[in-house]
Amino acid sequence: MKTIYLDNNATTPVAPEVVEVMLPYFTELYGNASSMHTFGGQVHGIIELARAQVAELIGAEPEEIVFTGCGTESDNTALMSAVESNPAKRRIVTTRVEHSAILNFCKHLAAKGYHTTYLPVDTLGRFNMDALLEAIDDQTAIVSVMYANNETGVIFPIAEIGKILRARGILFHVDAVQAAGKIPINLKKLPVDMISLSGHKLHAPKGIGVLYVRKGTRFCPYLIGGHQEKGRRAGTENVASIVGLGKACELARKELAKGTTALAAMRDRLEAALLESCPDAVVNGDRENRLPNTTSVSFEYVEGEAILLRLNEFGICASSGSACTSGSLQPSHVLRAMGIPYTAIHGSVRFSLSSYTTRGEIDRVIEVLPPIIRELRSYSPFGRDKFEQYLCRLDAARAD
Amino acid sequence: MWEYTDKVKEFFLKPKNVGEVENPDAVGEVGSIVCGDALKLSIKVDKETNRIVDAKFQTFGCASAIASSSALTELVKGKTLEEASKITNQDIAAYLGGLPDEKMHCSVMGMEALEDAILKYKGEKKVLRPEENIICKCFDVSEEKIRKTAVENHLKTVEEITHYTKAGGGCGMCIPEIEQILKDVWSVREIKERPVEKKKLTNIQKMALIQDVLEREIRPRLQADGGDIDLVDIEGSRVIVGLRGMCVDCPSCDMTIKGIEERLRDVTGQNITVVRE
């Protein structure tokens, strides 16, 4: 059975071109970039090339790019650096819908006595500017806001937030793990101090991330040891992955230049077909302003894990915000923050497409998902159809 | 991805006995759509032999909830009510070749629906006894259920209790109470609890204690759910707090206040009242 992979916000396949450029660094080019000999030294040049490729994707200068181990490390480093380099400031402001790499690190800092403020979002998952203005003060060490949400794809007004924070002199970090490669980012025009990226979300391998640190930003390293990354992140460079990430960023830049309307159109077609064929289904989040590849649809009266495992039988990969898939008993913190009713959160399914997604794959989902929903609803003790069946039976009884 | 047995997969993909028995003799219901799973079990009983001749289920829930419900109907069919009433959640799990720990609550749900159905058949309505003490307010789990499940399944940790009953899996405010219940269940109860005499606190000590409890215990839990709390003032035994973030419009904020009040009474040994600013 062919896999239909529609879970690209979880991770992406490594592009074949990326694999190809990486391979020599596992075999003949195994040198250490820090070595004095030419054999190791040649690796240094290739890392710098990759740095330039990453910088170009987001409109940064190469020296502003720090390679890390993953998006989580980048997020943790940004927050830690902010509080360490501003020891007098004790407040951290973020949102309720961040990734756990930010939320749990804030919890960790709160336990150390920092004040943390979690900004609310509205029912469409949109940023609340008034809440931000109310939350920030002279005590604020950093504001960390995601560029786009992993579950709903909703994009936050980063430029607008950055303008406010810049005027107040407050450090601004953006978790752009979901946005990079999916929408254009130009840091030349964006008033942001730090940005986190993750390789495996844009067709590079897992285990490589980036922290962009704007020139002139006070910075404290998180990993301490060797002089790598100009002392900003110790540890021997993950050369193969860095090279791969560089290539992936180059591919993403070319893909973005072609525009994302085709991808968005495919997503919209999937969404429209599901809403049409499944009654009591709704899209979660602001449809006007979100990533072109993401849709979160809630099907009332059924539970997300059951939907996913039925889709799995057809080789279709998606994810859900239901409690049963979260590993805890609480459903998605993002959908809860939006005030989506629990009934709808339990039945939420997220599809995230990529440039590799084909028309045929979308057709297949449109074909198999509605019958799955109908069948699972027929097992459910809840639902409108139950009520309608009951009315039908009443009618039939009356006709007799 | 959960490690489900082939039997679970089979009963999830092709469940047996879905629907409602026509003119059922009893219907057992547990769970709710808010909690994430619910089961409605309908049974037909032969009046002469007291045997369950038919059983069907309707389930809202994950794969293991559907499989457990279906397994339950297969287990009870053909059994007398007496025999059926002896079915435990472990029997349901065993029938399916086992369930992941985190999913054991699905088997417990099956057992409870069956108990409910049998009680209703006998005409004994399960009434919430006034002394029934709800420990987990998020998932509506009573002390009795926690004790029973702990004993029957040899559960020793809060995590296990959460896997089997969901208790403690929500806001987490009841975790200390569950710990206490487990201690009580598994410790030899020879030492009678003696009320510890608390020294009278000075005002300064009391304020510091209250502040400390709010900061270290209460606040992290609220923040975990996107909420927050500020200590506004302390006037004698009146503690004035401000709820922030998600807590502001949370439907269970009264419960939260009550919980904080109980905790503060406990630590200070004084009749504290907590009010919102």
Side-chain angles (χ1 to χ4, degrees), chain A residues 96 107 110 115-116 301-303 305-306 309-310 312-313 324 329-330 336 342-343 346 376 379-382 386, chain B residues 2 4 12-13 15 18 33-34 36 38 58-63 103 162 166 169-170 223 225-226 228 245-246:
Chain A
R96 284 184 204 160
K107 251 201 258 175
H115 298 285
T116 47
Y301 323 123
V302 284
E303 197 279 331
E305 188 211 88
L309 293 184
R310 284 294 175 100
N312 189 50
E313 290 299 300
C324 288
L329 290 169
Q330 287 285 22
R336 271 189 294 149
Y342 271 64
T343 56
H346 286 305
L376 291 174
Y379 302 172
S380 174
F382 310 113
K386 290 278 144 51
Chain B
W2 303 109
Y4 285 134
F12 163 60
L13 294 172
V18 179
I33 203 162
V34 175
Q58 287 184 314
T59 291
F60 164 80
C62 57
K103 296 288 186 176
T162 307
K166 292 192 167 189
Q223 285 181 339
D225 249 13
D228 208 343
M246 284 285 267

Side-chain angles (χ1 to χ4, degrees), chain A residues 143-383:
Chain A
V143 174
S144 178
V145 172
M146 67 197 338
Y147 209 123
N149 187 268
N150 48 317
E151 291 189 38
T152 59
V154 172
I155 299 170
F156 281 160
I158 298 302
E160 219 178 309
I161 301 167
K163 229 167 102 184
I164 293 167
L165 297 177
R166 179 75 38 104
R168 299 279 298 263
I170 297 170
L171 205 58
F172 186 25
H173 166 253
V174 172
D175 175 350
V177 162
Q178 291 296 344
K182 291 177 189 144
I183 50 172
I185 298 175
N186 184 1
L187 287 165
K188 287 199 178 64
K189 292 188 181 149
L190 219 49
V192 170
D193 302 303
M194 289 187 270
I195 269 199
S196 302
L197 309 183
S198 170
H200 75 104
K201 307 281 193 199
L202 44 89
H203 304 288
K206 293 154 188 71
I208 183 76
V210 165
L211 181 64
Y212 156 90
V213 185
R214 189 179 288 277
K215 235 181 280 175
T217 305
R218 286 171 76 182
F219 184 78
C220 286
Y222 194 47
L223 283 194
I224 294 167
H227 56 83
Q228 293 89 351
E229 299 297 293
K230 298 212 170 96
R232 292 172 298 182
R233 199 271 189 183
T236 300
E237 298 88 344
N238 181 354
V239 181
S241 294
I242 288 174
V243 171
L245 177 59
K247 185 73 187 172
C249 286
E250 185 196 307
L251 294 173
R253 191 169 52 81
K254 286 181 182 156
E255 200 60 46
L256 277 175
K258 284 193 237 159
T260 54
T261 33
L263 183 62
M266 199 141 60
R267 184 268 320 265
D268 292 342
R269 192 164 65 84
L270 170 66
E271 208 169 71
L274 293 179
L275 292 185
E276 201 199 311
S277 52
C278 304
D280 295 332
V282 286
V283 172
N284 299 314
D286 180 14
R287 293 169 80 172
E288 299 300 312
N289 199 16
R290 58 180 170 159
L291 296 174
N293 78 318
T294 309
T295 175
S296 165
V297 185
S298 279
F299 301 94
E300 292 269 6
Y301 323 123
V302 284
E303 197 279 331
E305 188 211 88
I307 303 173
L308 294 189
L309 293 184
R310 284 294 175 100
L311 283 173
N312 189 50
E313 290 299 300
F314 295 94
I316 298 169
C317 309
S319 66
S320 167
S322 108
C324 288
T325 57
S326 67
S328 76
L329 290 169
Q330 287 285 22
S332 153
H333 70 282
V334 175
L335 301 182
R336 271 189 294 149
M338 288 160 64
I340 309 266
Y342 271 64
T343 56
I345 301 180
H346 286 305
S348 69
V349 179
R350 178 193 71 188
F351 295 100
S352 44
L353 289 57
S354 82
S355 53
Y356 294 95
T357 307
T358 65
R359 211 187 148 76
E361 289 175 328
I362 297 296
D363 287 337
R364 183 74 176 140
V365 179
I366 293 173
E367 179 195 338
V368 305
L369 182 52
I372 290 175
I373 301 295
R374 271 197 293 280
E375 190 183 343
L376 291 174
R377 278 181 178 168
S378 78
Y379 302 172
S380 174
F382 310 113

Side-chain angles (χ1 to χ4, degrees), chain B residues 7 9 11 15 38 45-46 52 102 105 115 138-139 141 163-164 167 185 200 203 205-206 211 214 223 231 234 243 276:
Chain B
K7 197 88 174 169
K9 285 182 201 156
F11 271 76
V45 182
D46 183 312
I52 299 173
E102 293 85 346
H105 62 85
E115 280 173 1
C138 296
F139 292 110
V141 188
H163 291 337
Y164 279 67
V185 168
K200 181 131 174 56
N203 270 337
Q205 284 170 331
K206 181 177 75 186
Q211 204 166 9
L214 287 179
Q223 285 181 339
L231 177 59
I234 302 172
L243 292 180
R276 292 176 69 172

Side-chain angles (χ1 to χ4, degrees), chain B:
Chain B
M1 182 114 199
W2 303 109
E3 295 285 327
Y4 285 134
T5 63
D6 289 342
K7 197 88 174 169
V8 172
K9 285 182 201 156
E10 181 194 325
F11 271 76
F12 163 60
L13 294 172
K14 290 199 167 57
K16 293 174 184 162
N17 315 316
V18 179
E20 278 175 285
V21 172
E22 262 192 56
N23 305 319
D25 292 309
V27 177
E29 284 177 283
V30 283
S32 82
I33 203 162
V34 175
C35 292
D37 41 26
L39 164 57
K40 194 169 163 187
L41 172 75
S42 55
I43 54 172
K44 191 95 195 143
V45 182
D46 183 312
K47 305 266 177 332
E48 308 268 291
T49 58
N50 253 349
R51 224 169 256 287
I52 299 173
V53 288
D54 200 5
K56 286 193 169 171
F57 79 92
Q58 287 184 314
T59 291
F60 164 80
C62 57
S64 54
I66 291 171
S68 297
S69 310
S70 184
L72 169 72
T73 55
E74 285 289 284
L75 274 168
V76 299
K77 274 206 277 186
K79 287 204 169 60
T80 63
L81 288 175
E82 162 97 53
E83 289 163 346
S85 65
K86 290 193 184 117
I87 291 174
T88 65
N89 72 294
Q90 286 145 346
D91 296 328
I92 298 171
Y95 186 86
L96 291 168
L99 283 171
D101 280 348
E102 293 85 346
K103 296 288 186 176
M104 284 302 286
H105 62 85
C106 297
S107 66
V108 175
M109 181 170 78
M111 180 181 71
E112 287 185 329
L114 178 62
E115 280 173 1
D116 189 43
I118 293 174
L119 278 176
K120 279 185 183 153
Y121 180 76
K122 292 180 177 163
E124 299 164 23
K125 261 214 190 122
K126 191 184 177 188
V127 278
L128 205 67
R129 274 167 294 160
E131 71 267 28
E132 188 154 9
N133 180 14
I134 298 298
I135 301 292
C136 173
K137 272 115 194 162
C138 296
F139 292 110
D140 203 20
V141 188
S142 68
E143 180 172 346
E144 190 190 357
K145 178 169 169 180
I146 294 172
R147 282 177 184 274
K148 183 168 177 271
T149 316
V151 172
E152 284 178 358
N153 295 282
H154 302 282
L155 310 180
K156 304 257 164 106
T157 66
V158 175
E159 198 186 2
E160 287 173 323
I161 291 290
T162 307
H163 291 337
Y164 279 67
T165 66
K166 292 192 167 189
C171 68
M173 291 287 276
C174 62
I175 287 173
E177 278 181 85
I178 299 175
E179 274 168 357
Q180 207 51 52
I181 293 170
L182 284 173
K183 234 187 237 166
D184 189 49
V185 168
W186 297 116
S187 64
V188 189
R189 273 176 268 169
E190 52 193 20
I191 311 155
K192 269 234 168 133
E193 260 187 61
R194 219 175 301 130
V196 187
E197 229 163 86
K198 284 208 176 90
K199 254 200 217 151
K200 181 131 174 56
L201 300 165
T202 65
N203 270 337
I204 296 286
Q205 284 170 331
K206 181 177 75 186
M207 286 179 183
L209 187 61
I210 290 172
Q211 204 166 9
D212 187 55
V213 169
L214 287 179
E215 202 61 43
R216 280 190 313 110
E217 290 182 26
I218 311 292
R219 172 169 268 193
R221 290 198 195 122
L222 297 182
Q223 285 181 339
D225 249 13
D228 208 343
I229 190 166
D230 279 339
L231 177 59
V232 179
D233 207 352
I234 302 172
E235 295 168 351
S237 63
R238 250 164 65 93
V239 176
I240 303 158
V241 297
L243 292 180
R244 308 276 180 257
M246 284 285 267
C247 290
V248 173
D249 37 35
C250 173
S252 52
C253 66
D254 288 345
M255 282 297 185
T256 309
I257 294 282
K258 269 258 158 321
I260 297 167
E261 192 171 272
E262 270 170 41
R263 181 72 191 128
L264 292 181
R265 281 181 185 180
D266 200 36
V267 293
T268 59
Q270 296 181 16
N271 195 21
I272 302 283
T273 45
V274 177
V275 292
R276 292 176 69 172
E277 62 181 331

